Amino acid sequence: MQQVYDLIIIGGGPGGIGAAVEAKVLGIESILMIEKGDNHSQTIRKFYKDNKRVDKDYKGVVIELVGSVDFSDGTKESTLNYFDSLLDNDEIDTAFNAEVESVIKDNNIFRIVTSNAGYTAKNVIVAIGTMGKPNKPSYKIPPSIKERVNFNLDKCIGGEKILLVGGGNSAAEYAIELSKTNIVTLNYRQTKFTRLNEVNEKTLLEYNGQEKLRLRLGTDILSLENENGLVKVEFNDGYYTIYERVVYAIGGTTPVDFLRKCGITFDDKLMPIFDENYESEQKGLYLAGDIAVKSGGSIAMALSHAHHIINHILKNK
Ligand SMILES: Cc1cc2nc3c(=O)[nH]c(=O)nc-3n(C[C@H](O)[C@H](O)[C@H](O)COP(=O)(O)OP(=O)(O)OC[C@H]3O[C@@H](n4cnc5c(N)ncnc54)[C@H](O)[C@@H]3O)c2cc1C
């Protein structure tokens, strides 16, 4: 007979870890956290630059944390270390390198299908974030320059002339970091930044004034082309520039198809449907973290969802 877990959590980011820890501390007996990457917190590992400052009240949104996870301001590294220690201390059962493909409800039991195994559970929390599918521009990226067009900093090499695209804190932080070793332009289609925290905005303006980087605001990109193996970027102000690399930092997308395969329903704006307890229309199936907010999710918000959901599961036991 296959074990029926009390709770299976899909996704080992802040939402998933928060749920696993709360569940363990509050006495839910059998819990499994399934993560597709080879370690937890793939969004933090892949998209945060090294030594990135991590704000608890991200983008100025203050979250009062209640529960067992005592997350506070730090860096990428201190945040990952903290999550490591939570998973180790609470001895959370994990399945890494396991991508969930679907969740099927059958006689009040959920069957969770991964690429290489199957599990069953009484309750399921889906906390898969949105960065598995980073947003892409609407124009074509020619395959011949795909290697030079990226969505994080992994492939950037010191000395390259790089165009950063985006107007949020991620784009700003990438541009500030890269400007220490590269020739950087930050392109944002609006004429002003409206979503930056004070520090990032001040640094960007200062760096622009000191010509450590260039801000190209109020212009949009029309197309990318291959120019002798480099990226020719055509802007809508009539000019073009050749870059060695283009990095888009324009957020992520809700993985609608996957969530549908888990039995989650959507409204006409393609927002997943769930109630005040983050429970979907399939009773016992919850959404936490970035996939449960329209925009502007944060680590603290994901932890707070997790706390709320675990308390709701316990109340209904
Ligand atoms: C560049 C950048 C900087 C940021 N800076 C901050 C900051 O300073 N402070 C802050 O509070 N927030 C910050 N954020 C936002 C924060 O990272 C997110 O709000 C938070 O990570 C959301 O947590 P989550 O658990 O919902 O999803 P995620 O962190 O995205 O975790 C989802 C996990 O699910 C896994 N997964 C996905 N699909 C599957 C599947 N099918 N099967 C199994 N596993 C799956 C993924 O591999 C991943 O590990 C930043 C985001 C970015 C991109």
PDB file of all heavy atoms in Angstrom, residues 10-15 34-36 41-43 47-48 52-55 58 98-100 127-129 131 170 258 288-290 297-299 302, ligand 1:
ATOM      1  N   ILE A  10       4.000  21.233  -3.198  1.00  0.00           N
ATOM      2  CA  ILE A  10       4.667  21.238  -4.508  1.00  0.00           C
ATOM      3  C   ILE A  10       5.412  22.558  -4.655  1.00  0.00           C
ATOM      4  O   ILE A  10       4.802  23.629  -4.664  1.00  0.00           O
ATOM      5  CB  ILE A  10       3.643  21.070  -5.650  1.00  0.00           C
ATOM      6  CG1 ILE A  10       2.806  19.815  -5.427  1.00  0.00           C
ATOM      7  CG2 ILE A  10       4.367  21.018  -6.992  1.00  0.00           C
ATOM      8  CD1 ILE A  10       1.651  19.659  -6.397  1.00  0.00           C
ATOM      9  N   GLY A  11       6.737  22.489  -4.725  1.00  0.00           N
ATOM     10  CA  GLY A  11       7.557  23.697  -4.838  1.00  0.00           C
ATOM     11  C   GLY A  11       8.303  23.960  -3.546  1.00  0.00           C
ATOM     12  O   GLY A  11       7.703  24.066  -2.477  1.00  0.00           O
ATOM     13  N   GLY A  12       9.633  24.019  -3.656  1.00  0.00           N
ATOM     14  CA  GLY A  12      10.467  24.217  -2.461  1.00  0.00           C
ATOM     15  C   GLY A  12      11.050  25.613  -2.399  1.00  0.00           C
ATOM     16  O   GLY A  12      12.227  25.787  -2.105  1.00  0.00           O
ATOM     17  N   GLY A  13      10.221  26.619  -2.656  1.00  0.00           N
ATOM     18  CA  GLY A  13      10.641  28.009  -2.453  1.00  0.00           C
ATOM     19  C   GLY A  13      10.154  28.479  -1.088  1.00  0.00           C
ATOM     20  O   GLY A  13       9.735  27.651  -0.255  1.00  0.00           O
ATOM     21  N   PRO A  14      10.181  29.779  -0.815  1.00  0.00           N
ATOM     22  CA  PRO A  14       9.752  30.277   0.504  1.00  0.00           C
ATOM     23  C   PRO A  14       8.345  29.809   0.887  1.00  0.00           C
ATOM     24  O   PRO A  14       8.118  29.427   2.039  1.00  0.00           O
ATOM     25  CB  PRO A  14       9.794  31.793   0.324  1.00  0.00           C
ATOM     26  CG  PRO A  14      10.813  32.023  -0.748  1.00  0.00           C
ATOM     27  CD  PRO A  14      10.720  30.848  -1.669  1.00  0.00           C
ATOM     28  N   GLY A  15       7.404  29.800  -0.062  1.00  0.00           N
ATOM     29  CA  GLY A  15       6.034  29.370   0.255  1.00  0.00           C
ATOM     30  C   GLY A  15       6.021  27.910   0.673  1.00  0.00           C
ATOM     31  O   GLY A  15       5.397  27.539   1.680  1.00  0.00           O
ATOM     32  N   ILE A  34       7.940  18.499  -2.524  1.00  0.00           N
ATOM     33  CA  ILE A  34       8.485  18.054  -3.815  1.00  0.00           C
ATOM     34  C   ILE A  34       9.004  19.270  -4.580  1.00  0.00           C
ATOM     35  O   ILE A  34       8.286  20.260  -4.754  1.00  0.00           O
ATOM     36  CB  ILE A  34       7.386  17.353  -4.657  1.00  0.00           C
ATOM     37  CG1 ILE A  34       6.765  16.205  -3.868  1.00  0.00           C
ATOM     38  CG2 ILE A  34       7.965  16.856  -5.968  1.00  0.00           C
ATOM     39  CD1 ILE A  34       5.621  15.493  -4.590  1.00  0.00           C
ATOM     40  N   GLU A  35      10.254  19.192  -5.021  1.00  0.00           N
ATOM     41  CA  GLU A  35      10.882  20.340  -5.694  1.00  0.00           C
ATOM     42  C   GLU A  35      11.540  19.860  -7.000  1.00  0.00           C
ATOM     43  O   GLU A  35      12.239  18.857  -7.004  1.00  0.00           O
ATOM     44  CB  GLU A  35      11.924  20.962  -4.745  1.00  0.00           C
ATOM     45  CG  GLU A  35      12.945  21.881  -5.373  1.00  0.00           C
ATOM     46  CD  GLU A  35      12.375  23.070  -6.140  1.00  0.00           C
ATOM     47  OE1 GLU A  35      11.496  23.770  -5.606  1.00  0.00           O
ATOM     48  OE2 GLU A  35      12.806  23.283  -7.284  1.00  0.00           O
ATOM     49  N   LYS A  36      11.312  20.615  -8.071  1.00  0.00           N
ATOM     50  CA  LYS A  36      11.864  20.144  -9.354  1.00  0.00           C
ATOM     51  C   LYS A  36      13.369  20.377  -9.489  1.00  0.00           C
ATOM     52  O   LYS A  36      14.050  19.674 -10.234  1.00  0.00           O
ATOM     53  CB  LYS A  36      11.106  20.752 -10.533  1.00  0.00           C
ATOM     54  CG  LYS A  36      11.406  22.185 -10.848  1.00  0.00           C
ATOM     55  CD  LYS A  36      10.738  22.567 -12.160  1.00  0.00           C
ATOM     56  CE  LYS A  36      10.893  24.047 -12.406  1.00  0.00           C
ATOM     57  NZ  LYS A  36      10.184  24.523 -13.562  1.00  0.00           N
ATOM     58  N   SER A  41      14.522  26.509  -3.234  1.00  0.00           N
ATOM     59  CA  SER A  41      14.629  27.947  -3.553  1.00  0.00           C
ATOM     60  C   SER A  41      15.316  28.243  -4.877  1.00  0.00           C
ATOM     61  O   SER A  41      16.274  29.010  -4.935  1.00  0.00           O
ATOM     62  CB  SER A  41      15.367  28.670  -2.415  1.00  0.00           C
ATOM     63  OG  SER A  41      14.766  28.412  -1.181  1.00  0.00           O
ATOM     64  N   GLN A  42      14.796  27.656  -5.939  1.00  0.00           N
ATOM     65  CA  GLN A  42      15.414  27.864  -7.261  1.00  0.00           C
ATOM     66  C   GLN A  42      15.299  29.318  -7.734  1.00  0.00           C
ATOM     67  O   GLN A  42      16.196  29.814  -8.402  1.00  0.00           O
ATOM     68  CB  GLN A  42      14.771  26.918  -8.291  1.00  0.00           C
ATOM     69  CG  GLN A  42      15.128  25.462  -8.072  1.00  0.00           C
ATOM     70  CD  GLN A  42      16.617  25.186  -8.249  1.00  0.00           C
ATOM     71  OE1 GLN A  42      17.210  25.564  -9.237  1.00  0.00           O
ATOM     72  NE2 GLN A  42      17.226  24.543  -7.265  1.00  0.00           N
ATOM     73  N   THR A  43      14.229  30.001  -7.393  1.00  0.00           N
ATOM     74  CA  THR A  43      14.099  31.407  -7.831  1.00  0.00           C
ATOM     75  C   THR A  43      15.194  32.247  -7.197  1.00  0.00           C
ATOM     76  O   THR A  43      15.849  33.056  -7.870  1.00  0.00           O
ATOM     77  CB  THR A  43      12.694  31.949  -7.452  1.00  0.00           C
ATOM     78  OG1 THR A  43      11.737  31.209  -8.201  1.00  0.00           O
ATOM     79  CG2 THR A  43      12.547  33.434  -7.761  1.00  0.00           C
ATOM     80  N   PHE A  47      17.851  33.670  -9.830  1.00  0.00           N
ATOM     81  CA  PHE A  47      17.535  35.032 -10.265  1.00  0.00           C
ATOM     82  C   PHE A  47      18.103  36.118  -9.355  1.00  0.00           C
ATOM     83  O   PHE A  47      18.124  37.287  -9.751  1.00  0.00           O
ATOM     84  CB  PHE A  47      16.021  35.214 -10.434  1.00  0.00           C
ATOM     85  CG  PHE A  47      15.478  34.411 -11.581  1.00  0.00           C
ATOM     86  CD1 PHE A  47      14.940  33.155 -11.377  1.00  0.00           C
ATOM     87  CD2 PHE A  47      15.556  34.884 -12.880  1.00  0.00           C
ATOM     88  CE1 PHE A  47      14.468  32.390 -12.430  1.00  0.00           C
ATOM     89  CE2 PHE A  47      15.091  34.140 -13.945  1.00  0.00           C
ATOM     90  CZ  PHE A  47      14.542  32.888 -13.723  1.00  0.00           C
ATOM     91  N   TYR A  48      18.514  35.786  -8.124  1.00  0.00           N
ATOM     92  CA  TYR A  48      19.120  36.806  -7.269  1.00  0.00           C
ATOM     93  C   TYR A  48      20.607  36.840  -7.597  1.00  0.00           C
ATOM     94  O   TYR A  48      21.251  35.797  -7.701  1.00  0.00           O
ATOM     95  CB  TYR A  48      18.978  36.465  -5.783  1.00  0.00           C
ATOM     96  CG  TYR A  48      17.593  36.576  -5.189  1.00  0.00           C
ATOM     97  CD1 TYR A  48      16.447  36.559  -5.963  1.00  0.00           C
ATOM     98  CD2 TYR A  48      17.433  36.691  -3.808  1.00  0.00           C
ATOM     99  CE1 TYR A  48      15.183  36.637  -5.390  1.00  0.00           C
ATOM    100  CE2 TYR A  48      16.173  36.781  -3.229  1.00  0.00           C
ATOM    101  CZ  TYR A  48      15.048  36.743  -4.031  1.00  0.00           C
ATOM    102  OH  TYR A  48      13.809  36.813  -3.462  1.00  0.00           O
ATOM    103  N   LYS A  52      23.128  39.731  -3.120  1.00  0.00           N
ATOM    104  CA  LYS A  52      21.966  40.629  -3.226  1.00  0.00           C
ATOM    105  C   LYS A  52      21.387  40.906  -1.843  1.00  0.00           C
ATOM    106  O   LYS A  52      21.267  40.020  -1.020  1.00  0.00           O
ATOM    107  CB  LYS A  52      20.889  39.982  -4.098  1.00  0.00           C
ATOM    108  CG  LYS A  52      19.567  40.749  -4.067  1.00  0.00           C
ATOM    109  CD  LYS A  52      18.493  40.036  -4.849  1.00  0.00           C
ATOM    110  CE  LYS A  52      17.085  40.360  -4.382  1.00  0.00           C
ATOM    111  NZ  LYS A  52      16.810  41.750  -4.065  1.00  0.00           N
ATOM    112  N   ARG A  53      21.024  42.166  -1.639  1.00  0.00           N
ATOM    113  CA  ARG A  53      20.331  42.523  -0.403  1.00  0.00           C
ATOM    114  C   ARG A  53      18.916  41.959  -0.489  1.00  0.00           C
ATOM    115  O   ARG A  53      18.236  42.122  -1.502  1.00  0.00           O
ATOM    116  CB  ARG A  53      20.257  44.056  -0.339  1.00  0.00           C
ATOM    117  CG  ARG A  53      20.059  44.602   1.038  1.00  0.00           C
ATOM    118  CD  ARG A  53      19.859  46.081   0.965  1.00  0.00           C
ATOM    119  NE  ARG A  53      18.465  46.395   0.701  1.00  0.00           N
ATOM    120  CZ  ARG A  53      18.028  47.622   0.532  1.00  0.00           C
ATOM    121  NH1 ARG A  53      18.851  48.630   0.576  1.00  0.00           N
ATOM    122  NH2 ARG A  53      16.755  47.842   0.321  1.00  0.00           N
ATOM    123  N   VAL A  54      18.467  41.289   0.540  1.00  0.00           N
ATOM    124  CA  VAL A  54      17.101  40.754   0.541  1.00  0.00           C
ATOM    125  C   VAL A  54      16.294  41.507   1.595  1.00  0.00           C
ATOM    126  O   VAL A  54      16.626  41.492   2.779  1.00  0.00           O
ATOM    127  CB  VAL A  54      17.091  39.227   0.814  1.00  0.00           C
ATOM    128  CG1 VAL A  54      15.673  38.711   0.942  1.00  0.00           C
ATOM    129  CG2 VAL A  54      17.812  38.482  -0.305  1.00  0.00           C
ATOM    130  N   ASP A  55      15.267  42.202   1.120  1.00  0.00           N
ATOM    131  CA  ASP A  55      14.423  42.984   2.037  1.00  0.00           C
ATOM    132  C   ASP A  55      13.233  42.148   2.473  1.00  0.00           C
ATOM    133  O   ASP A  55      12.571  41.556   1.628  1.00  0.00           O
ATOM    134  CB  ASP A  55      13.868  44.220   1.321  1.00  0.00           C
ATOM    135  CG  ASP A  55      14.974  45.114   0.811  1.00  0.00           C
ATOM    136  OD1 ASP A  55      15.957  45.297   1.543  1.00  0.00           O
ATOM    137  OD2 ASP A  55      14.856  45.619  -0.326  1.00  0.00           O
ATOM    138  N   TYR A  58       9.622  43.769   1.134  1.00  0.00           N
ATOM    139  CA  TYR A  58      10.049  43.971  -0.255  1.00  0.00           C
ATOM    140  C   TYR A  58       9.146  44.993  -0.937  1.00  0.00           C
ATOM    141  O   TYR A  58       7.925  44.940  -0.790  1.00  0.00           O
ATOM    142  CB  TYR A  58       9.978  42.622  -0.970  1.00  0.00           C
ATOM    143  CG  TYR A  58      10.583  42.584  -2.346  1.00  0.00           C
ATOM    144  CD1 TYR A  58      11.816  43.140  -2.612  1.00  0.00           C
ATOM    145  CD2 TYR A  58       9.908  41.948  -3.396  1.00  0.00           C
ATOM    146  CE1 TYR A  58      12.377  43.071  -3.880  1.00  0.00           C
ATOM    147  CE2 TYR A  58      10.460  41.870  -4.661  1.00  0.00           C
ATOM    148  CZ  TYR A  58      11.689  42.445  -4.892  1.00  0.00           C
ATOM    149  OH  TYR A  58      12.233  42.378  -6.148  1.00  0.00           O
ATOM    150  N   ALA A  98      12.388  16.413  -8.810  1.00  0.00           N
ATOM    151  CA  ALA A  98      11.107  15.776  -9.113  1.00  0.00           C
ATOM    152  C   ALA A  98      10.122  16.857  -9.545  1.00  0.00           C
ATOM    153  O   ALA A  98       9.658  17.644  -8.721  1.00  0.00           O
ATOM    154  CB  ALA A  98      10.581  15.044  -7.879  1.00  0.00           C
ATOM    155  N   GLU A  99       9.856  16.908 -10.827  1.00  0.00           N
ATOM    156  CA  GLU A  99       8.939  17.928 -11.345  1.00  0.00           C
ATOM    157  C   GLU A  99       7.524  17.369 -11.349  1.00  0.00           C
ATOM    158  O   GLU A  99       7.256  16.335 -11.974  1.00  0.00           O
ATOM    159  CB  GLU A  99       9.365  18.342 -12.761  1.00  0.00           C
ATOM    160  CG  GLU A  99       8.412  19.361 -13.342  1.00  0.00           C
ATOM    161  CD  GLU A  99       8.978  20.103 -14.533  1.00  0.00           C
ATOM    162  OE1 GLU A  99      10.077  19.750 -14.994  1.00  0.00           O
ATOM    163  OE2 GLU A  99       8.306  21.045 -14.991  1.00  0.00           O
ATOM    164  N   VAL A 100       6.629  18.031 -10.640  1.00  0.00           N
ATOM    165  CA  VAL A 100       5.240  17.557 -10.622  1.00  0.00           C
ATOM    166  C   VAL A 100       4.603  17.883 -11.968  1.00  0.00           C
ATOM    167  O   VAL A 100       4.758  18.981 -12.504  1.00  0.00           O
ATOM    168  CB  VAL A 100       4.462  18.186  -9.457  1.00  0.00           C
ATOM    169  CG1 VAL A 100       2.983  17.838  -9.544  1.00  0.00           C
ATOM    170  CG2 VAL A 100       5.036  17.720  -8.120  1.00  0.00           C
ATOM    171  N   ALA A 127       2.915  25.641  -4.514  1.00  0.00           N
ATOM    172  CA  ALA A 127       3.691  26.875  -4.255  1.00  0.00           C
ATOM    173  C   ALA A 127       4.850  26.923  -5.246  1.00  0.00           C
ATOM    174  O   ALA A 127       6.011  26.896  -4.874  1.00  0.00           O
ATOM    175  CB  ALA A 127       4.201  26.876  -2.810  1.00  0.00           C
ATOM    176  N   ILE A 128       4.485  26.977  -6.527  1.00  0.00           N
ATOM    177  CA  ILE A 128       5.522  26.806  -7.566  1.00  0.00           C
ATOM    178  C   ILE A 128       6.046  28.127  -8.113  1.00  0.00           C
ATOM    179  O   ILE A 128       6.878  28.114  -9.025  1.00  0.00           O
ATOM    180  CB  ILE A 128       5.014  25.923  -8.722  1.00  0.00           C
ATOM    181  CG1 ILE A 128       3.769  26.555  -9.344  1.00  0.00           C
ATOM    182  CG2 ILE A 128       4.748  24.508  -8.257  1.00  0.00           C
ATOM    183  CD1 ILE A 128       3.371  25.915 -10.653  1.00  0.00           C
ATOM    184  N   GLY A 129       5.563  29.256  -7.585  1.00  0.00           N
ATOM    185  CA  GLY A 129       6.089  30.546  -8.034  1.00  0.00           C
ATOM    186  C   GLY A 129       5.781  30.817  -9.501  1.00  0.00           C
ATOM    187  O   GLY A 129       5.025  30.067 -10.152  1.00  0.00           O
ATOM    188  N   MET A 131       8.541  32.178 -11.559  1.00  0.00           N
ATOM    189  CA  MET A 131       9.790  32.427 -12.279  1.00  0.00           C
ATOM    190  C   MET A 131      10.290  31.212 -13.068  1.00  0.00           C
ATOM    191  O   MET A 131      11.307  31.289 -13.742  1.00  0.00           O
ATOM    192  CB  MET A 131      10.886  32.930 -11.333  1.00  0.00           C
ATOM    193  CG  MET A 131      10.615  34.324 -10.785  1.00  0.00           C
ATOM    194  SD  MET A 131      10.271  35.568 -12.053  1.00  0.00           S
ATOM    195  CE  MET A 131      11.886  35.767 -12.804  1.00  0.00           C
ATOM    196  N   SER A 170      14.397  44.179  -9.752  1.00  0.00           N
ATOM    197  CA  SER A 170      15.324  43.155 -10.251  1.00  0.00           C
ATOM    198  C   SER A 170      16.192  43.739 -11.355  1.00  0.00           C
ATOM    199  O   SER A 170      17.415  43.550 -11.354  1.00  0.00           O
ATOM    200  CB  SER A 170      14.572  41.959 -10.819  1.00  0.00           C
ATOM    201  OG  SER A 170      13.614  41.539  -9.921  1.00  0.00           O
ATOM    202  N   PHE A 258      -0.103  24.356 -16.319  1.00  0.00           N
ATOM    203  CA  PHE A 258       0.237  23.423 -15.251  1.00  0.00           C
ATOM    204  C   PHE A 258      -0.846  23.452 -14.159  1.00  0.00           C
ATOM    205  O   PHE A 258      -1.303  22.406 -13.686  1.00  0.00           O
ATOM    206  CB  PHE A 258       1.609  23.752 -14.654  1.00  0.00           C
ATOM    207  CG  PHE A 258       1.890  22.971 -13.409  1.00  0.00           C
ATOM    208  CD1 PHE A 258       2.262  21.642 -13.492  1.00  0.00           C
ATOM    209  CD2 PHE A 258       1.720  23.541 -12.154  1.00  0.00           C
ATOM    210  CE1 PHE A 258       2.476  20.890 -12.342  1.00  0.00           C
ATOM    211  CE2 PHE A 258       1.932  22.805 -11.003  1.00  0.00           C
ATOM    212  CZ  PHE A 258       2.312  21.473 -11.091  1.00  0.00           C
ATOM    213  N   ALA A 288      -0.147  28.910  -2.687  1.00  0.00           N
ATOM    214  CA  ALA A 288       0.604  29.814  -1.806  1.00  0.00           C
ATOM    215  C   ALA A 288       1.697  30.533  -2.589  1.00  0.00           C
ATOM    216  O   ALA A 288       2.183  30.032  -3.602  1.00  0.00           O
ATOM    217  CB  ALA A 288       1.239  29.015  -0.668  1.00  0.00           C
ATOM    218  N   GLY A 289       2.065  31.694  -2.089  1.00  0.00           N
ATOM    219  CA  GLY A 289       3.203  32.431  -2.658  1.00  0.00           C
ATOM    220  C   GLY A 289       2.842  33.218  -3.899  1.00  0.00           C
ATOM    221  O   GLY A 289       1.702  33.651  -4.073  1.00  0.00           O
ATOM    222  N   ASP A 290       3.824  33.365  -4.794  1.00  0.00           N
ATOM    223  CA  ASP A 290       3.663  34.239  -5.962  1.00  0.00           C
ATOM    224  C   ASP A 290       2.472  33.868  -6.847  1.00  0.00           C
ATOM    225  O   ASP A 290       1.883  34.743  -7.470  1.00  0.00           O
ATOM    226  CB  ASP A 290       4.934  34.219  -6.828  1.00  0.00           C
ATOM    227  CG  ASP A 290       6.016  35.126  -6.256  1.00  0.00           C
ATOM    228  OD1 ASP A 290       5.815  35.676  -5.153  1.00  0.00           O
ATOM    229  OD2 ASP A 290       7.063  35.279  -6.919  1.00  0.00           O
ATOM    230  N   GLY A 297       4.645  39.751  -5.411  1.00  0.00           N
ATOM    231  CA  GLY A 297       4.805  38.813  -4.301  1.00  0.00           C
ATOM    232  C   GLY A 297       6.132  39.032  -3.597  1.00  0.00           C
ATOM    233  O   GLY A 297       7.010  39.738  -4.100  1.00  0.00           O
ATOM    234  N   SER A 298       6.270  38.429  -2.433  1.00  0.00           N
ATOM    235  CA  SER A 298       7.536  38.536  -1.687  1.00  0.00           C
ATOM    236  C   SER A 298       7.709  37.287  -0.837  1.00  0.00           C
ATOM    237  O   SER A 298       6.773  36.496  -0.679  1.00  0.00           O
ATOM    238  CB  SER A 298       7.524  39.777  -0.795  1.00  0.00           C
ATOM    239  OG  SER A 298       6.627  39.578   0.284  1.00  0.00           O
ATOM    240  N   ILE A 299       8.912  37.157  -0.277  1.00  0.00           N
ATOM    241  CA  ILE A 299       9.199  36.005   0.577  1.00  0.00           C
ATOM    242  C   ILE A 299       8.264  36.021   1.783  1.00  0.00           C
ATOM    243  O   ILE A 299       7.619  35.017   2.115  1.00  0.00           O
ATOM    244  CB  ILE A 299      10.678  36.038   1.011  1.00  0.00           C
ATOM    245  CG1 ILE A 299      11.578  35.866  -0.210  1.00  0.00           C
ATOM    246  CG2 ILE A 299      10.969  34.981   2.076  1.00  0.00           C
ATOM    247  CD1 ILE A 299      13.057  36.058   0.040  1.00  0.00           C
ATOM    248  N   ALA A 302       4.765  35.007   0.926  1.00  0.00           N
ATOM    249  CA  ALA A 302       4.650  33.557   0.720  1.00  0.00           C
ATOM    250  C   ALA A 302       4.613  32.836   2.074  1.00  0.00           C
ATOM    251  O   ALA A 302       3.825  31.907   2.286  1.00  0.00           O
ATOM    252  CB  ALA A 302       5.815  33.053  -0.136  1.00  0.00           C
TER     253      ALA A 302
HETATM  254  C1  LIG B   1      15.456  39.085  -8.996  1.00  0.00           C
HETATM  255  C2  LIG B   1      14.439  39.008  -7.872  1.00  0.00           C
HETATM  256  C3  LIG B   1      14.701  39.686  -6.681  1.00  0.00           C
HETATM  257  C4  LIG B   1      13.789  39.592  -5.598  1.00  0.00           C
HETATM  258  N1  LIG B   1      14.096  40.200  -4.392  1.00  0.00           N
HETATM  259  C5  LIG B   1      13.281  40.014  -3.303  1.00  0.00           C
HETATM  260  C6  LIG B   1      13.583  40.562  -2.010  1.00  0.00           C
HETATM  261  O1  LIG B   1      14.593  41.240  -1.796  1.00  0.00           O
HETATM  262  N2  LIG B   1      12.728  40.319  -0.972  1.00  0.00           N
HETATM  263  C7  LIG B   1      11.588  39.576  -1.141  1.00  0.00           C
HETATM  264  O2  LIG B   1      10.851  39.377  -0.160  1.00  0.00           O
HETATM  265  N3  LIG B   1      11.251  39.071  -2.359  1.00  0.00           N
HETATM  266  C8  LIG B   1      12.067  39.268  -3.436  1.00  0.00           C
HETATM  267  N4  LIG B   1      11.724  38.719  -4.663  1.00  0.00           N
HETATM  268  C9  LIG B   1      10.445  37.983  -4.776  1.00  0.00           C
HETATM  269  C10 LIG B   1      10.557  36.597  -4.129  1.00  0.00           C
HETATM  270  O3  LIG B   1      11.706  35.917  -4.628  1.00  0.00           O
HETATM  271  C11 LIG B   1       9.306  35.782  -4.434  1.00  0.00           C
HETATM  272  O4  LIG B   1       8.166  36.520  -4.053  1.00  0.00           O
HETATM  273  C12 LIG B   1       9.345  34.450  -3.664  1.00  0.00           C
HETATM  274  O5  LIG B   1      10.484  33.692  -4.037  1.00  0.00           O
HETATM  275  C13 LIG B   1       8.069  33.652  -3.936  1.00  0.00           C
HETATM  276  O6  LIG B   1       8.151  32.405  -3.301  1.00  0.00           O
HETATM  277  P1  LIG B   1       7.306  31.145  -3.862  1.00  0.00           P
HETATM  278  O7  LIG B   1       7.559  30.056  -2.894  1.00  0.00           O
HETATM  279  O8  LIG B   1       5.930  31.566  -4.182  1.00  0.00           O
HETATM  280  O9  LIG B   1       7.949  30.803  -5.285  1.00  0.00           O
HETATM  281  P2  LIG B   1       9.440  30.541  -5.757  1.00  0.00           P
HETATM  282  O10 LIG B   1      10.430  31.185  -4.865  1.00  0.00           O
HETATM  283  O11 LIG B   1       9.452  30.909  -7.195  1.00  0.00           O
HETATM  284  O12 LIG B   1       9.633  28.974  -5.577  1.00  0.00           O
HETATM  285  C14 LIG B   1       8.941  28.062  -6.363  1.00  0.00           C
HETATM  286  C15 LIG B   1       9.681  26.721  -6.346  1.00  0.00           C
HETATM  287  O13 LIG B   1       8.858  25.757  -6.994  1.00  0.00           O
HETATM  288  C16 LIG B   1       9.644  24.957  -7.838  1.00  0.00           C
HETATM  289  N5  LIG B   1       8.770  24.409  -8.884  1.00  0.00           N
HETATM  290  C17 LIG B   1       8.221  25.068  -9.934  1.00  0.00           C
HETATM  291  N6  LIG B   1       7.473  24.242 -10.678  1.00  0.00           N
HETATM  292  C18 LIG B   1       7.526  23.024 -10.082  1.00  0.00           C
HETATM  293  C19 LIG B   1       6.962  21.761 -10.367  1.00  0.00           C
HETATM  294  N7  LIG B   1       6.141  21.572 -11.419  1.00  0.00           N
HETATM  295  N8  LIG B   1       7.250  20.718  -9.551  1.00  0.00           N
HETATM  296  C20 LIG B   1       8.060  20.878  -8.468  1.00  0.00           C
HETATM  297  N9  LIG B   1       8.624  22.064  -8.153  1.00  0.00           N
HETATM  298  C21 LIG B   1       8.353  23.127  -8.934  1.00  0.00           C
HETATM  299  C22 LIG B   1      10.707  25.917  -8.364  1.00  0.00           C
HETATM  300  O14 LIG B   1      11.846  25.219  -8.839  1.00  0.00           O
HETATM  301  C23 LIG B   1      10.992  26.777  -7.126  1.00  0.00           C
HETATM  302  O15 LIG B   1      12.051  26.289  -6.341  1.00  0.00           O
HETATM  303  C24 LIG B   1      12.590  38.844  -5.747  1.00  0.00           C
HETATM  304  C25 LIG B   1      12.330  38.176  -6.969  1.00  0.00           C
HETATM  305  C26 LIG B   1      13.235  38.249  -8.023  1.00  0.00           C
HETATM  306  C27 LIG B   1      12.948  37.511  -9.300  1.00  0.00           C
END
